Amino acid sequence: LQSAHPDSPGAWFQFAVFEAASGVHIGDVAAGVDSDDPRLATIGVTLTTSARGKGYAGEALAWLLDYLFVDRQKHRVTADCDVRNSGAAALLDRLRMRREAHHLQSTWWKGEWVDEYVYALLAEEWLERPSPPGSTHTAGGQSRATLRTQNGR
């Protein structure tokens, strides 16, 4: 993966999330670029159980959305979550992503069919927001999480 580019159509790319104060790896955020139209991307986040509920996911996904819309010039970004994951749904709402669908029994997960919410956000919506939603900063604007690619950049 060290040679993979984070904007490769049809591929997912992960950015490791580290707690800034301790340097401990606490999870990752990922972006998958659509193979048919590389202006479209899908995002996801995974955190260790101990890192959940502390604002790291919102901060990391806000960084990823900035990266995708500003640096990579994406037009539209989507995300989905199991409808039973109220924390993930609330996070996507806080990021001002729009819930566009409720798919019934759309994914086979751990031995059962589950429903999913589908969220989306356009570049113009993200770039015109009044302030970065979802970011959790300490006093002085210090980030509480840092992100790195697989090869440490």
Side-chain angles (χ1 to χ4, degrees):
L1 277 178
Q2 288 184 343
S3 63
H5 189 278
D7 207 15
S8 300
W12 279 84
F13 198 86
Q14 292 177 290
F15 297 87
V17 179
F18 294 85
E19 184 179 51
S22 67
V24 172
H25 179 239
I26 57 172
D28 69 77
V29 291
V33 177
D34 189 271
S35 59
D36 294 324
D37 189 340
R39 297 170 296 181
L40 308 175
T42 301
I43 60 172
V45 60
T46 305
L47 291 181
T48 62
T49 303
S50 63
R52 294 177 191 159
K54 298 180 180 177
Y56 297 124
E59 186 176 336
L61 283 178
W63 174 88
L64 184 59
L65 287 165
D66 267 343
Y67 173 75
L68 291 170
F69 288 131
V70 176
D71 297 339
R72 307 312 308 170
Q73 303 287 301
K74 297 302 175 207
H75 170 69
R76 177 181 162 94
V77 173
T78 61
D80 56 53
C81 70
D82 186 320
V83 300
R84 298 170 298 183
N85 189 341
S86 59
L91 169 62
L92 297 172
D93 288 335
R94 281 193 307 275
L95 289 167
R96 298 189 184 127
M97 294 189 80
R98 179 181 44 267
R99 187 182 300 174
E100 293 189 333
H102 179 167
H103 292 213
L104 300 178
Q105 299 184 14
S106 57
T107 301
W108 183 256
W109 180 251
K110 296 184 179 181
E112 66 178 321
W113 288 105
V114 299
D115 293 4
E116 287 185 305
Y117 291 138
V118 178
Y119 287 81
L121 187 65
L122 298 174
E124 62 198 47
E125 295 170 320
W126 181 253
L127 299 172
E128 293 172 0
R129 73 198 187 284
S131 62
S135 293
T136 305
H137 296 284
T138 57
Q142 293 289 332
S143 178
R144 295 182 321 118
T146 58
L147 288 93
R148 290 181 246 173
T149 62
Q150 290 284 348
N151 59 4
R153 287 192 267 167

